[in-house]
Amino acid sequence: MKLCLNQATTMPYGLSETIDAAARAGIPHIGLWVEPVEATGVAATRRLLADTGVTATSMSRVGFLADKSGRELDQAYDAVRRALAACAELSVPTLSFVAGGLPAHDRSIRSAEARVRDALERLQPDVAASGVRLQLEPIHPLFVNDRSMVTTVGQALRIVDGLPAEQYGVLVDSWATFWDPEFEDSVARAGADGRLAGYQINDYALPLPFPNNMNGRLMPGDGVIDLVGMTRTMRSAGYSGPVENEVFNDEIWRLPLAEIVRLTVESFDRVITRNFPD
């Protein structure tokens, strides 16, 4: 299993710096983010990747539309289409899709699921034309109201059921899903259905920072998540793609870029390479 450095882990640093640092550290893959790519430009991003030999295997993230309507919803659709086009130009195979939260006027999760499903169906011509796979990403239930009402792998599978598996998959993030007692069964089903599109690792421990709970993710192996067990579950379900290190952490972001990259490589070797040498 190969390491992928997700740009979130090096959030304060520019795209060019991060790609160069990954290449120097021997990291073969990078997970891009939409905003830095837009700021850098697709053509310049393509040159950076070509010059370093680093391969972009994913892009984060679009969506956030379950609680939107009118002009805001139209803008969210346009953002998805722009990101699909950028991924296609850069030969990035997957684009992560976050559902969005619950609007104040309707707190029904099932109603929100229906809106997300409608959105994915509406986007299908664009997804098919791009050749890029949308990967629906469950987010930790801490953020069900304001970020994503999709919180489990099983729920994500229910939303994409019946849509072409080569166009719509599921992205599994350890911090977001480790708590789920149905995780193993849901991942097995996702594998059998050909839905496992991506895998991100990070770690969890209390207390979480306040007010930015999302920024409490730790380097793999520094918290309480059974990452070896989760990775074994993913492998048993047929996942063999890159493993992304995606860490949101204010303290880590204050470190020099080279130190962040070193910690990324060391934690990956400790948790993944040592336990899954093949």
Side-chain angles (χ1 to χ4, degrees):
M1 304 182 83
K2 300 298 184 182
L3 171 60
C4 174
L5 174 62
N6 187 286
Q7 265 195 281
T9 307
T10 61
M11 189 72 76
Y13 296 94
L15 178 57
S16 176
E17 296 172 275
T18 298
I19 292 176
D20 285 343
R24 288 196 301 273
I27 299 174
H29 305 302
I30 189 167
L32 300 172
W33 272 58
V34 170
E35 293 82 1
V37 169
E38 289 181 339
T40 303
V42 171
T45 301
R46 188 190 304 112
R47 287 195 296 272
L48 288 170
L49 295 169
D51 290 345
T52 58
V54 175
T55 301
T57 54
S58 71
M59 187 179 290
S60 299
R61 72 258 191 278
V62 292
F64 300 98
L65 46 68
D67 55 351
K68 292 182 171 59
S69 60
R71 179 174 175 79
E72 283 190 332
L73 181 58
D74 290 338
Q75 290 173 338
Y77 278 121
D78 288 343
V80 176
R81 295 184 180 106
R82 288 196 304 272
L84 285 169
C87 286
E89 288 190 57
L90 293 168
S91 300
V92 179
T94 62
L95 173 64
S96 65
F97 186 98
V98 179
L102 299 171
H105 68 275
D106 184 359
R107 297 299 192 187
S108 166
I109 288 178
R110 284 305 180 104
S111 294
E113 285 184 7
R115 290 193 295 275
V116 174
R117 173 57 182 246
D118 288 345
L120 295 179
E121 291 179 352
R122 178 173 170 179
L123 287 164
Q124 189 171 358
D126 304 285
V127 175
S130 70
V132 177
R133 194 182 197 190
L134 272 188
Q135 43 184 3
L136 182 58
E137 180 179 7
I139 303 294
H140 195 286
L142 277 168
F143 308 101
V144 67
N145 283 318
D146 63 349
R147 185 172 292 268
S148 175
M149 33 59 60
V150 177
T151 59
T152 70
V153 174
Q155 186 185 14
L157 290 175
R158 182 166 67 229
I159 292 172
V160 301
D161 184 47
L163 294 172
E166 67 274 13
Q167 296 172 4
Y168 297 93
V170 175
L171 171 60
V172 177
D173 178 281
S174 60
W175 193 91
T177 61
F178 80 96
W179 59 272
D180 179 10
E182 304 298 326
F183 177 80
E184 289 82 2
D185 291 342
S186 296
V187 168
R189 189 166 75 253
D193 293 345
R195 297 283 185 187
L196 290 177
Y199 180 39
Q200 296 175 337
I201 60 171
N202 32 58
D203 222 327
Y204 179 100
L206 293 175
L208 295 176
F210 182 83
N212 296 320
N213 304 135
M214 179 70 76
N215 295 355
R217 301 187 189 198
L218 305 175
M219 283 290 177
D222 289 347
V224 301
I225 299 177
D226 179 13
L227 288 168
V228 174
M230 292 188 79
T231 303
R232 187 175 295 115
T233 296
M234 292 289 291
R235 282 167 60 96
S236 295
Y239 185 77
S240 59
V243 179
E244 294 193 22
N245 180 298
E246 186 192 56
V247 174
F248 295 78
N249 187 295
D250 292 309
E251 293 184 6
I252 289 174
W253 288 339
R254 284 192 282 269
L255 297 173
L257 176 58
E259 179 69 3
I260 298 175
V261 172
R262 183 187 67 79
L263 291 172
T264 296
V265 172
E266 288 183 356
S267 66
F268 183 84
D269 288 344
R270 182 172 66 249
V271 173
I272 302 297
T273 305
R274 181 182 302 173
N275 294 287
F276 305 96
D278 58 337

